[in-house]
Amino acid sequence: MLQLGKLEAGSRHDLRVGMSPDAPADDDADDREGRFGYAHSYETSSRYDGPGLRAVLFLSGCLLRCTYCHNPDTWHLKDGTYISIEQVVSRLADFAPALRSMGGGLTISGGEPMVQLAFTRRVLAAAKDMGLHTAIETSGFLGDRADEKFLSVLDLVILDIKSGDPDTYKKATGRDQAPTLRFAERLAKMGKPVWVRFTLVPGLTDDPDNVERIAKFVAPMQNVQWVEVQPFHQLGAFKWKAMGIDYKEANTPSAPPDLVKRVVGQFQAAGCRAR
Ligand code: SF4
């Protein structure tokens, strides 16, 4: 029996490694029951991860390896803290009245929340029971795992579309683009609200054609409420260094304002509501 740890308040910018050395492999994470999970940390006052004031729970486990990832300490379950659903629900209940009064809710991010699908679903269901708006931030790579039961407790999907060009997607993430696009199309078909996020990395994802492909894909989707362009920054660089992993973007500059303006303009010109 694994020992439960403490659900840590903190920030996505905190470095957390080696909290659960006995955790299972990352691609075998879902215990189907979802009574226990692995978490990096949580924040309680985000204004960027969904409508209103958000509590954000960062879960461990991700199958992508984005070269620009700000949180490589969320890639492996073993780096997260082993926690129970009861721990999360009881902590969330403390914040629920404030979140409700500020028109907000709970966002589960990571890592990738669909690695631990059953645990994520249980947390979202508990949040819905508290009258909270629910969201996940996901790459969509595991979108095929999201069954009706999972989607029924989800009000919003913040979907990271990391690249329009499939080869660039592979170069940036180490994985295929197709599952993400498939998930986006499925969400569009069912009318599930989506915010699309695009990380703008100079020299990697900033090619006009790469942006144009996402813009044209997303523009006809009536369920996409926002396209958010997120400029690359170096706030996560120290984590790569501390963890001793090769950081390909060590010399990549932050995305400058004129580049961000061009890319937001491309999305808007295609008919997207972009910011
Ligand atoms: S999907 Fe997110 S957590 Fe996973 S490697 Fe990419 S940026 Fe990092």
Side-chain angles (χ1 to χ4, degrees):
M1 179 74 184
L2 285 168
Q3 202 72 17
L4 286 176
K6 192 167 173 280
L7 176 58
E8 296 275 3
S11 146
R12 62 196 85 191
H13 302 305
D14 297 338
L15 176 69
R16 298 236 161 89
V17 288
M19 312 298 285
S20 301
D22 298 328
D26 305 302
D27 51 3
D28 190 24
D30 208 356
D31 69 3
R32 294 182 195 280
E33 290 286 317
R35 290 182 299 121
F36 301 96
Y38 296 85
H40 175 276
S41 60
Y42 68 89
E43 294 177 3
T44 54
S45 52
S46 166
R47 294 229 168 244
Y48 301 104
D49 301 289
L53 185 74
R54 315 295 297 184
V56 186
L57 175 65
F58 297 95
L59 293 184
S60 303
C62 184
L63 303 186
L64 274 57
R65 293 292 177 266
C66 302
T67 60
Y68 53 82
C69 180
H70 299 146
N71 297 308
D73 56 337
T74 63
W75 286 350
H76 301 295
L77 296 181
K78 67 180 168 61
D79 286 330
T81 304
Y82 188 60
I83 52 168
S84 68
I85 185 74
E86 288 80 13
Q87 284 172 282
V88 180
V89 171
S90 120
R91 192 62 52 88
L92 189 57
D94 296 339
F95 304 117
L99 296 171
R100 274 196 305 266
S101 71
M102 303 292 276
L106 172 73
T107 302
I108 305 185
S109 183
E112 165 55 60
M114 288 197 279
V115 166
Q116 303 182 71
L117 191 86
F119 185 72
T120 297
R121 191 194 62 75
R122 274 190 189 248
V123 178
L124 293 171
K128 295 278 326 154
D129 287 346
M130 293 178 206
L132 297 174
H133 177 277
T134 58
I136 59 167
E137 180 175 9
T138 175
S139 72
F141 180 68
L142 297 174
D144 290 348
R145 282 190 184 180
D147 54 17
E148 293 310 311
K149 201 174 162 196
F150 181 80
L151 293 171
S152 70
V153 288
L154 196 50
D155 294 317
L156 172 72
V157 177
I158 301 173
L159 182 64
D160 297 326
I161 302 186
K162 291 164 185 295
S163 178
D165 170 59
D167 293 337
T168 306
Y169 193 99
K170 185 104 185 187
K171 193 175 159 200
T173 70
R175 293 285 188 169
D176 288 336
Q177 178 203 47
T180 299
L181 302 190
R182 195 158 64 230
F183 189 46
E185 281 166 342
R186 190 169 147 220
L187 295 171
K189 208 171 274 177
M190 65 190 291
K192 180 70 72 181
V194 165
W195 292 5
V196 167
R197 278 190 174 166
F198 171 66
T199 306
L200 178 58
V201 188
L204 181 66
T205 65
D206 59 344
D207 188 87
D209 180 58
N210 191 47
V211 175
E212 206 60 28
R213 285 190 190 209
I214 304 176
K216 287 204 172 117
F217 175 73
V218 163
M221 296 180 169
Q222 299 294 318
N223 63 317
V224 175
Q225 299 175 342
W226 281 107
V227 175
E228 298 187 315
V229 177
Q230 298 208 306
F232 167 79
H233 58 68
Q234 288 285 4
L235 287 178
F238 82 97
K239 293 190 177 185
W240 290 75
K241 198 168 174 205
M243 294 172 71
I245 40 179
D246 181 32
Y247 183 42
K248 287 202 177 68
E249 309 299 341
N251 298 315
T252 302
S254 302
D258 57 336
L259 177 60
V260 177
K261 202 171 157 201
R262 187 212 85 201
V263 171
V264 171
Q266 272 191 272
F267 280 111
Q268 289 171 337
C272 303
R273 193 167 167 232
R275 59 187 174 192

